[in-house]
Structures are given as structure tokens and as C-alpha cells.
Amino acid sequence: MKLDWLKEELTGIKNKGLYRRFSIIESAQTPRIIRGGKELILLSSNNYLGLTTHPEVKKAAIKAVEDYGSGAGGSRLTTGNIGLYESLEERIARFKDTEDALVFSTGYMANIGIISAIMNIGDLILSDELNHASIIDGCRLSRADVKIYTHGDASCIEKILRTSKHRKKLIVTDGVFSMDGDIAPLPEIVELGEKYDAMVMVDDAHATGVLGKHCRGTCDYFNIEVDINMGTLSKALASMGGYAAGNEELIDFLSNRARSFIYSTALPPPAIAAAKAAIDIVEKENPAKKLWQNVAVYKKGLTDMGMVINSQTQIIPIMTGEARTTMEAAAELERLGVFAQGIRPPTVPEGKGRIRTSLMATHSGQDIMDALDAIMVIKEKFNL
Ligand SMILES: Cc1ncc(COP(=O)(O)O)c(C=O)c1O
């Protein structure tokens, strides 16, 4: 009786075509996966560099289990702070070219922890309208005033900053937008941060390991610096976790004030070791080079079939519009041998459903050609 409302809510979600089910994958995150007993091309993974199955990454994870066991057994400030952590944070700071870094258990927890720790009632946050949900939740938790600016629009940011009387201000943006694959106009944002004394935070979840001369992310791409570099270890870095990178005071402060850091169990040893090994490989082997070659081939294939591509990166959405069309097109794509996630509201705005395709460095030329053939079929069938 008390829980009857759940049934009604679920019916409402189903009627709007927004009901979500788990997709079960029966293999590793490789370019070809097994799902429902069938081999499919994986065209939606965040394992951009294919490092989750790299022998060195697997070896490091296995050794960490052998040396330290499967779990951390406590939070970082209690018993969970094994030595591997210090070396990972040192490695991240070196990789991101910052003074220091702090690892959180997920990217989501990093965003809510960082933003709610540094911003408070009476402060002002300027947040891009397409920022990731974890940034939005961090803004809400902070209880600061939040102004949403038009996607990627520096003039909109300036208009807000010009009239702000807030003492502390923060501009926060995804570096690479997770559902569109475009890059934030960071040089303009950093300039505005300087001009109006506003801190700048970039979420490099989808840029770390792939973008820029040294694959460090968006700041490396533009050759600029921001106050707070946030990123994840869960995508190109083939593991689990999030991080804040910046100056020593920032990291010291977050270690003392970020609640999602303090009150949660530390990452398990294999996750820490795998992330560190992945950073070593990014620097030693530059797997992103092959990723960008694959992106170029794939984009050319799509534009040759008449599709308009706004993405600048490895995330390339195929716009499908309504939620129902999105899911039908994704299902058809799967029947044709390609697994890519259909994305509906609330993850994207109403009417802007899409199939989120993304490339991996480990995709072969044949994988890409086969995927393009299947996309051509759904393009015709659904008039995309
Ligand atoms: C832009 C962005 N930020 C943060 C996150 C959260 O990271 P994680 O999955 O490691 O919690 C994601 C992942 O979906 C993301 O796309």
C-alpha cells in the first residue's frame, strides 16, 4: 500500500519511453564483445584507449591483489591509505603537471566532493547547461547561488560575472562534453576567470589520457592552466575513481573538507595499481595516436554518408530525436551487429535523443567499416 506510488511512477516512466534496463555484456570491454551470446562491435565504451585489457594494466592489478588483497578496509583517513595511493597521487600530479592530486572513489564523488567543499551559501557558481550530472549535484549540495550559462557561451558567462557581487565565484565546465563530444572554450573561460577573479574548474573525465600534446587533457590541448583539474580514472585510464589535481593548498583543503572523500571507503588496491599502470602506458606508448586515427576514419565515413558532425573528439553522437526513435534505432543497430547506447532524457534535453557512439584505439579498420555499414542502414530506415 505505502509503496503503490512506485508502480504508478514506473508506469509513467514507461509511457514516456524513458524506462531503462541494464545491458548485460558477457565479455571484457574489447572492440568486439559478446552480448546475448552474439558477437557485437562495441561502439559506446569509455575505455577509449582499450587499456582495461592491456597486459601491463592487468598484471599491475593482479599484483596489487596479491600484495594488498581485494579491498581497502577503510577510508583514506583511517586504515585504507595503503602506500599505492601516495604513488598514484604523485603520478597523477606529475601527469597533469600540477603540484598535487587527491583521489576519490569515483568521478561522481570527486565532483560532488570538490564543489560542495569549496563553495558555500553566498558564493556563486557558473555552470554550463550541458555539464555532467555529478557537477549539477555538486552545485546543489554546495547551496551556493548557481547560474546556468548557455552551452559554451563565454559572452553569457561574462554577462553574469559583470553584475555579480558575490565574494567567491567558480566557473565549472566539462572539458569534453560527455554526450556531444565538443570541447569547452577554456581559453576564453580562463581569461574571464582572471578578469573577474573567478576560480575555474574543468572536468576532464573524457579528455584525460586522450587530448592534448601529452594526452593530459583539455588544459594540455589549449596549453593553459586552470585552478581545479578534475578527472576520472574510470574511462581512458581503464580503472575506477576520480581525482582533483591542483596546488598544494587546494589538495590539503579538499583532504580536510570534501565529505565524499572523508566519509567513504578508499579504492580497492587493484583499481589504484591499474590506474597508475595506465598512466605509465599513456606516456610510454601514446595509444591516443591510434585513437585519433580511428576517429578521423570514422568521422569521414559519417560525413560521406551525409551526416553532420559537431564533435571534435572520440565521442560522436548520432542524433535520433525522440526517445522512442532513439531506442528503436539503437535496437536495430544491435540487430545489425553494433552495440551503442541510446541516450534519452533526462541525460540529454527533451527531443535531443541520440545514439552515443565512441571510438577506441583498439578498434580495427574492419570494426569501423562494419560499424559504418550498420549506421548507414539505420540512417535510411529512421531518416536520421
Ligand atoms: C563528464 C563526467 N564527469 C564525471 C563523471 C563521473 O565519473 P565516474 O563514472 O568515474 O563516477 C562522468 C561519467 O559518467 C562524466 O561523463
Side-chain angles (χ1 to χ4, degrees), residues 233-270:
L233 307 172
S234 56
K235 303 182 195 315
L237 297 183
S239 182
M240 176 88 194
Y243 63 82
N247 78 10
E248 273 173 22
E249 284 81 23
L250 172 75
I251 300 310
D252 207 10
F253 179 77
L254 291 175
S255 317
N256 282 279
R257 280 284 182 271
R259 292 171 64 84
S260 62
F261 170 79
I262 298 168
Y263 298 106
S264 191
T265 297
L267 279 174

mmCIF file of all heavy atoms in Angstrom, residues 233-270:
data_model
loop_
_atom_site.group_PDB
_atom_site.id
_atom_site.type_symbol
_atom_site.label_atom_id
_atom_site.label_comp_id
_atom_site.label_asym_id
_atom_site.label_seq_id
_atom_site.Cartn_x
_atom_site.Cartn_y
_atom_site.Cartn_z
ATOM 1 N N LEU A 233 39.473 8.237 -13.378
ATOM 2 C CA LEU A 233 40.376 7.128 -13.702
ATOM 3 C C LEU A 233 39.577 6.023 -14.376
ATOM 4 O O LEU A 233 40.102 4.967 -14.714
ATOM 5 C CB LEU A 233 41.001 6.591 -12.401
ATOM 6 C CG LEU A 233 41.681 7.644 -11.514
ATOM 7 C CD1 LEU A 233 42.083 7.043 -10.173
ATOM 8 C CD2 LEU A 233 42.896 8.227 -12.230
ATOM 9 N N SER A 234 38.283 6.294 -14.593
ATOM 10 C CA SER A 234 37.347 5.233 -14.983
ATOM 11 C C SER A 234 37.115 5.128 -16.487
ATOM 12 O O SER A 234 36.404 4.247 -16.938
ATOM 13 C CB SER A 234 35.999 5.487 -14.293
ATOM 14 O OG SER A 234 35.522 6.784 -14.617
ATOM 15 N N LYS A 235 37.716 6.029 -17.256
ATOM 16 C CA LYS A 235 37.442 5.998 -18.693
ATOM 17 C C LYS A 235 38.726 5.604 -19.445
ATOM 18 O O LYS A 235 39.059 4.438 -19.434
ATOM 19 C CB LYS A 235 36.809 7.320 -19.096
ATOM 20 C CG LYS A 235 35.516 7.522 -18.235
ATOM 21 C CD LYS A 235 34.761 8.738 -18.535
ATOM 22 C CE LYS A 235 33.737 9.118 -17.481
ATOM 23 N NZ LYS A 235 32.868 8.081 -16.937
ATOM 24 N N ALA A 236 39.437 6.555 -20.032
ATOM 25 C CA ALA A 236 40.652 6.150 -20.760
ATOM 26 C C ALA A 236 41.676 5.488 -19.834
ATOM 27 O O ALA A 236 42.505 4.703 -20.294
ATOM 28 C CB ALA A 236 41.273 7.351 -21.458
ATOM 29 N N LEU A 237 41.629 5.790 -18.533
ATOM 30 C CA LEU A 237 42.634 5.235 -17.622
ATOM 31 C C LEU A 237 42.228 3.877 -17.052
ATOM 32 O O LEU A 237 42.852 3.363 -16.112
ATOM 33 C CB LEU A 237 42.994 6.243 -16.532
ATOM 34 C CG LEU A 237 43.641 7.530 -17.078
ATOM 35 C CD1 LEU A 237 44.039 8.469 -15.951
ATOM 36 C CD2 LEU A 237 44.849 7.239 -17.970
ATOM 37 N N ALA A 238 41.159 3.320 -17.612
ATOM 38 C CA ALA A 238 40.895 1.874 -17.502
ATOM 39 C C ALA A 238 40.650 1.339 -16.100
ATOM 40 O O ALA A 238 40.850 0.156 -15.848
ATOM 41 C CB ALA A 238 42.062 1.114 -18.147
ATOM 42 N N SER A 239 40.260 2.210 -15.167
ATOM 43 C CA SER A 239 40.102 1.705 -13.814
ATOM 44 C C SER A 239 38.830 2.259 -13.183
ATOM 45 O O SER A 239 37.751 2.179 -13.799
ATOM 46 C CB SER A 239 41.351 2.065 -13.004
ATOM 47 O OG SER A 239 41.260 1.564 -11.712
ATOM 48 N N MET A 240 38.970 2.859 -12.053
ATOM 49 C CA MET A 240 37.841 3.325 -11.256
ATOM 50 C C MET A 240 38.371 4.447 -10.384
ATOM 51 O O MET A 240 39.483 4.359 -9.896
ATOM 52 C CB MET A 240 37.403 2.129 -10.385
ATOM 53 C CG MET A 240 36.329 2.396 -9.415
ATOM 54 S SD MET A 240 34.781 2.107 -10.267
ATOM 55 C CE MET A 240 33.660 2.856 -9.131
ATOM 56 N N GLY A 241 37.573 5.486 -10.193
ATOM 57 C CA GLY A 241 37.990 6.575 -9.307
ATOM 58 C C GLY A 241 37.972 7.914 -10.015
ATOM 59 O O GLY A 241 37.843 7.993 -11.241
ATOM 60 N N GLY A 242 38.064 8.966 -9.207
ATOM 61 C CA GLY A 242 38.151 10.323 -9.739
ATOM 62 C C GLY A 242 39.271 11.038 -9.018
ATOM 63 O O GLY A 242 39.808 10.541 -8.032
ATOM 64 N N TYR A 243 39.658 12.206 -9.528
ATOM 65 C CA TYR A 243 40.731 12.936 -8.842
ATOM 66 C C TYR A 243 40.528 14.436 -8.968
ATOM 67 O O TYR A 243 39.836 14.919 -9.877
ATOM 68 C CB TYR A 243 42.114 12.554 -9.411
ATOM 69 C CG TYR A 243 42.272 12.920 -10.861
ATOM 70 C CD1 TYR A 243 42.621 14.223 -11.251
ATOM 71 C CD2 TYR A 243 42.034 11.984 -11.857
ATOM 72 C CE1 TYR A 243 42.732 14.560 -12.586
ATOM 73 C CE2 TYR A 243 42.150 12.324 -13.196
ATOM 74 C CZ TYR A 243 42.492 13.608 -13.551
ATOM 75 O OH TYR A 243 42.583 13.951 -14.869
ATOM 76 N N ALA A 244 41.134 15.133 -8.016
ATOM 77 C CA ALA A 244 41.292 16.584 -8.133
ATOM 78 C C ALA A 244 42.785 16.806 -8.236
ATOM 79 O O ALA A 244 43.557 16.214 -7.474
ATOM 80 C CB ALA A 244 40.748 17.272 -6.898
ATOM 81 N N ALA A 245 43.209 17.654 -9.176
ATOM 82 C CA ALA A 245 44.625 18.000 -9.285
ATOM 83 C C ALA A 245 44.729 19.520 -9.267
ATOM 84 O O ALA A 245 43.914 20.207 -9.883
ATOM 85 C CB ALA A 245 45.227 17.424 -10.565
ATOM 86 N N GLY A 246 45.715 20.029 -8.548
ATOM 87 C CA GLY A 246 45.854 21.483 -8.434
ATOM 88 C C GLY A 246 46.978 21.821 -7.495
ATOM 89 O O GLY A 246 47.899 21.006 -7.305
ATOM 90 N N ASN A 247 46.906 23.006 -6.866
ATOM 91 C CA ASN A 247 48.019 23.368 -6.000
ATOM 92 C C ASN A 247 47.898 22.704 -4.623
ATOM 93 O O ASN A 247 46.875 22.115 -4.285
ATOM 94 C CB ASN A 247 48.231 24.881 -5.944
ATOM 95 C CG ASN A 247 47.238 25.588 -5.031
ATOM 96 O OD1 ASN A 247 46.492 24.953 -4.285
ATOM 97 N ND2 ASN A 247 47.213 26.899 -5.090
ATOM 98 N N GLU A 248 48.971 22.789 -3.850
ATOM 99 C CA GLU A 248 49.042 22.050 -2.583
ATOM 100 C C GLU A 248 47.932 22.438 -1.617
ATOM 101 O O GLU A 248 47.347 21.591 -0.941
ATOM 102 C CB GLU A 248 50.401 22.303 -1.911
ATOM 103 C CG GLU A 248 51.449 21.343 -2.382
ATOM 104 C CD GLU A 248 52.840 21.694 -1.861
ATOM 105 O OE1 GLU A 248 52.928 22.409 -0.839
ATOM 106 O OE2 GLU A 248 53.812 21.268 -2.515
ATOM 107 N N GLU A 249 47.629 23.745 -1.551
ATOM 108 C CA GLU A 249 46.593 24.197 -0.602
ATOM 109 C C GLU A 249 45.236 23.618 -0.978
ATOM 110 O O GLU A 249 44.456 23.225 -0.113
ATOM 111 C CB GLU A 249 46.483 25.728 -0.568
ATOM 112 C CG GLU A 249 47.592 26.440 0.185
ATOM 113 C CD GLU A 249 48.841 26.582 -0.667
ATOM 114 O OE1 GLU A 249 48.729 26.534 -1.902
ATOM 115 O OE2 GLU A 249 49.937 26.719 -0.085
ATOM 116 N N LEU A 250 44.944 23.585 -2.283
ATOM 117 C CA LEU A 250 43.655 23.040 -2.726
ATOM 118 C C LEU A 250 43.530 21.584 -2.268
ATOM 119 O O LEU A 250 42.503 21.176 -1.689
ATOM 120 C CB LEU A 250 43.539 23.116 -4.255
ATOM 121 C CG LEU A 250 42.316 22.383 -4.825
ATOM 122 C CD1 LEU A 250 41.047 23.183 -4.577
ATOM 123 C CD2 LEU A 250 42.480 22.099 -6.315
ATOM 124 N N ILE A 251 44.572 20.804 -2.491
ATOM 125 C CA ILE A 251 44.512 19.373 -2.166
ATOM 126 C C ILE A 251 44.447 19.182 -0.649
ATOM 127 O O ILE A 251 43.690 18.345 -0.140
ATOM 128 C CB ILE A 251 45.733 18.636 -2.791
ATOM 129 C CG1 ILE A 251 45.709 18.803 -4.324
ATOM 130 C CG2 ILE A 251 45.755 17.169 -2.394
ATOM 131 C CD1 ILE A 251 44.404 18.493 -5.008
ATOM 132 N N ASP A 252 45.208 19.996 0.073
ATOM 133 C CA ASP A 252 45.181 19.943 1.536
ATOM 134 C C ASP A 252 43.772 20.252 2.045
ATOM 135 O O ASP A 252 43.226 19.556 2.907
ATOM 136 C CB ASP A 252 46.176 21.005 2.040
ATOM 137 C CG ASP A 252 46.728 20.649 3.399
ATOM 138 O OD1 ASP A 252 46.487 19.512 3.828
ATOM 139 O OD2 ASP A 252 47.368 21.519 4.020
ATOM 140 N N PHE A 253 43.186 21.292 1.473
ATOM 141 C CA PHE A 253 41.839 21.709 1.885
ATOM 142 C C PHE A 253 40.811 20.604 1.583
ATOM 143 O O PHE A 253 39.995 20.249 2.432
ATOM 144 C CB PHE A 253 41.453 23.014 1.157
ATOM 145 C CG PHE A 253 40.075 23.501 1.511
ATOM 146 C CD1 PHE A 253 39.831 24.149 2.710
ATOM 147 C CD2 PHE A 253 39.016 23.281 0.641
ATOM 148 C CE1 PHE A 253 38.546 24.582 3.038
ATOM 149 C CE2 PHE A 253 37.730 23.707 0.954
ATOM 150 C CZ PHE A 253 37.496 24.362 2.157
ATOM 151 N N LEU A 254 40.885 20.046 0.367
ATOM 152 C CA LEU A 254 39.910 19.004 -0.011
ATOM 153 C C LEU A 254 40.069 17.765 0.883
ATOM 154 O O LEU A 254 39.073 17.146 1.263
ATOM 155 C CB LEU A 254 40.082 18.614 -1.485
ATOM 156 C CG LEU A 254 39.675 19.679 -2.507
ATOM 157 C CD1 LEU A 254 40.011 19.223 -3.927
ATOM 158 C CD2 LEU A 254 38.189 20.022 -2.403
ATOM 159 N N SER A 255 41.297 17.421 1.220
ATOM 160 C CA SER A 255 41.512 16.258 2.099
ATOM 161 C C SER A 255 40.834 16.468 3.443
ATOM 162 O O SER A 255 40.466 15.516 4.124
ATOM 163 C CB SER A 255 42.996 16.025 2.368
ATOM 164 O OG SER A 255 43.745 16.171 1.212
ATOM 165 N N ASN A 256 40.700 17.716 3.836
ATOM 166 C CA ASN A 256 40.103 18.042 5.138
ATOM 167 C C ASN A 256 38.626 18.365 5.079
ATOM 168 O O ASN A 256 37.948 18.363 6.099
ATOM 169 C CB ASN A 256 40.838 19.238 5.759
ATOM 170 C CG ASN A 256 42.152 18.826 6.365
ATOM 171 O OD1 ASN A 256 42.174 18.334 7.474
ATOM 172 N ND2 ASN A 256 43.219 18.977 5.619
ATOM 173 N N ARG A 257 38.127 18.691 3.885
ATOM 174 C CA ARG A 257 36.759 19.205 3.818
ATOM 175 C C ARG A 257 35.815 18.474 2.854
ATOM 176 O O ARG A 257 34.605 18.636 2.938
ATOM 177 C CB ARG A 257 36.778 20.690 3.418
ATOM 178 C CG ARG A 257 37.098 21.634 4.557
ATOM 179 C CD ARG A 257 35.885 21.806 5.481
ATOM 180 N NE ARG A 257 36.133 22.725 6.557
ATOM 181 C CZ ARG A 257 36.639 22.375 7.745
ATOM 182 N NH1 ARG A 257 36.937 21.116 7.993
ATOM 183 N NH2 ARG A 257 36.838 23.272 8.691
ATOM 184 N N ALA A 258 36.348 17.716 1.897
ATOM 185 C CA ALA A 258 35.449 17.080 0.909
ATOM 186 C C ALA A 258 34.806 15.841 1.543
ATOM 187 O O ALA A 258 35.462 14.829 1.796
ATOM 188 C CB ALA A 258 36.235 16.707 -0.346
ATOM 189 N N ARG A 259 33.514 15.939 1.783
ATOM 190 C CA ARG A 259 32.841 14.894 2.562
ATOM 191 C C ARG A 259 32.807 13.548 1.829
ATOM 192 O O ARG A 259 32.897 12.492 2.453
ATOM 193 C CB ARG A 259 31.424 15.349 2.913
ATOM 194 C CG ARG A 259 31.423 16.512 3.900
ATOM 195 C CD ARG A 259 30.026 17.083 4.071
ATOM 196 N NE ARG A 259 29.087 16.141 4.654
ATOM 197 C CZ ARG A 259 28.932 15.920 5.946
ATOM 198 N NH1 ARG A 259 29.685 16.575 6.823
ATOM 199 N NH2 ARG A 259 28.032 15.063 6.387
ATOM 200 N N SER A 260 32.689 13.586 0.496
ATOM 201 C CA SER A 260 32.648 12.318 -0.240
ATOM 202 C C SER A 260 34.019 11.638 -0.247
ATOM 203 O O SER A 260 34.142 10.450 -0.529
ATOM 204 C CB SER A 260 32.177 12.544 -1.683
ATOM 205 O OG SER A 260 33.089 13.373 -2.354
ATOM 206 N N PHE A 261 35.066 12.401 0.061
ATOM 207 C CA PHE A 261 36.401 11.830 0.225
ATOM 208 C C PHE A 261 36.563 11.260 1.634
ATOM 209 O O PHE A 261 36.996 10.123 1.819
ATOM 210 C CB PHE A 261 37.477 12.900 -0.030
ATOM 211 C CG PHE A 261 38.852 12.452 0.356
ATOM 212 C CD1 PHE A 261 39.585 11.623 -0.474
ATOM 213 C CD2 PHE A 261 39.413 12.843 1.568
ATOM 214 C CE1 PHE A 261 40.841 11.178 -0.104
ATOM 215 C CE2 PHE A 261 40.671 12.411 1.948
ATOM 216 C CZ PHE A 261 41.390 11.575 1.106
ATOM 217 N N ILE A 262 36.152 12.054 2.622
ATOM 218 C CA ILE A 262 36.414 11.684 4.020
ATOM 219 C C ILE A 262 35.581 10.476 4.465
ATOM 220 O O ILE A 262 36.080 9.577 5.126
ATOM 221 C CB ILE A 262 36.137 12.895 4.944
ATOM 222 C CG1 ILE A 262 37.076 14.054 4.586
ATOM 223 C CG2 ILE A 262 36.282 12.517 6.416
ATOM 224 C CD1 ILE A 262 36.710 15.384 5.240
ATOM 225 N N TYR A 263 34.298 10.496 4.051
ATOM 226 C CA TYR A 263 33.366 9.512 4.631
ATOM 227 C C TYR A 263 33.067 8.355 3.698
ATOM 228 O O TYR A 263 31.934 7.891 3.623
ATOM 229 C CB TYR A 263 32.077 10.218 5.058
ATOM 230 C CG TYR A 263 32.332 11.254 6.128
ATOM 231 C CD1 TYR A 263 32.292 12.617 5.835
ATOM 232 C CD2 TYR A 263 32.661 10.857 7.420
ATOM 233 C CE1 TYR A 263 32.561 13.564 6.811
ATOM 234 C CE2 TYR A 263 32.941 11.802 8.407
ATOM 235 C CZ TYR A 263 32.891 13.156 8.085
ATOM 236 O OH TYR A 263 33.169 14.074 9.049
ATOM 237 N N SER A 264 34.051 7.893 2.964
ATOM 238 C CA SER A 264 33.823 6.764 2.072
ATOM 239 C C SER A 264 35.081 5.898 2.020
ATOM 240 O O SER A 264 36.204 6.401 2.133
ATOM 241 C CB SER A 264 33.481 7.289 0.672
ATOM 242 O OG SER A 264 33.014 6.243 -0.130
ATOM 243 N N THR A 265 34.875 4.636 1.822
ATOM 244 C CA THR A 265 35.998 3.700 1.798
ATOM 245 C C THR A 265 36.917 3.967 0.600
ATOM 246 O O THR A 265 36.450 4.305 -0.488
ATOM 247 C CB THR A 265 35.458 2.246 1.742
ATOM 248 O OG1 THR A 265 34.713 2.025 2.950
ATOM 249 C CG2 THR A 265 36.558 1.219 1.646
ATOM 250 N N ALA A 266 38.191 3.816 0.845
ATOM 251 C CA ALA A 266 39.198 4.044 -0.209
ATOM 252 C C ALA A 266 39.037 3.010 -1.328
ATOM 253 O O ALA A 266 38.455 1.943 -1.128
ATOM 254 C CB ALA A 266 40.592 3.940 0.408
ATOM 255 N N LEU A 267 39.568 3.355 -2.480
ATOM 256 C CA LEU A 267 39.510 2.436 -3.630
ATOM 257 C C LEU A 267 40.220 1.120 -3.316
ATOM 258 O O LEU A 267 41.206 1.106 -2.577
ATOM 259 C CB LEU A 267 40.229 3.067 -4.827
ATOM 260 C CG LEU A 267 39.478 4.082 -5.656
ATOM 261 C CD1 LEU A 267 40.430 4.673 -6.692
ATOM 262 C CD2 LEU A 267 38.282 3.441 -6.356
ATOM 263 N N PRO A 268 39.769 0.039 -3.932
ATOM 264 C CA PRO A 268 40.485 -1.237 -3.735
ATOM 265 C C PRO A 268 41.865 -1.211 -4.397
ATOM 266 O O PRO A 268 42.054 -0.557 -5.429
ATOM 267 C CB PRO A 268 39.573 -2.271 -4.393
ATOM 268 C CG PRO A 268 38.636 -1.510 -5.241
ATOM 269 C CD PRO A 268 38.581 -0.094 -4.745
ATOM 270 N N PRO A 269 42.835 -1.915 -3.827
ATOM 271 C CA PRO A 269 44.212 -1.899 -4.344
ATOM 272 C C PRO A 269 44.328 -2.153 -5.852
ATOM 273 O O PRO A 269 45.086 -1.443 -6.526
ATOM 274 C CB PRO A 269 44.905 -2.992 -3.514
ATOM 275 C CG PRO A 269 44.143 -3.008 -2.234
ATOM 276 C CD PRO A 269 42.715 -2.709 -2.578
ATOM 277 N N PRO A 270 43.601 -3.142 -6.447
ATOM 278 C CA PRO A 270 43.811 -3.356 -7.894
ATOM 279 C C PRO A 270 43.403 -2.150 -8.737
ATOM 280 O O PRO A 270 44.007 -1.896 -9.788
ATOM 281 C CB PRO A 270 42.924 -4.580 -8.213
ATOM 282 C CG PRO A 270 42.009 -4.727 -7.057
ATOM 283 C CD PRO A 270 42.711 -4.157 -5.866
#
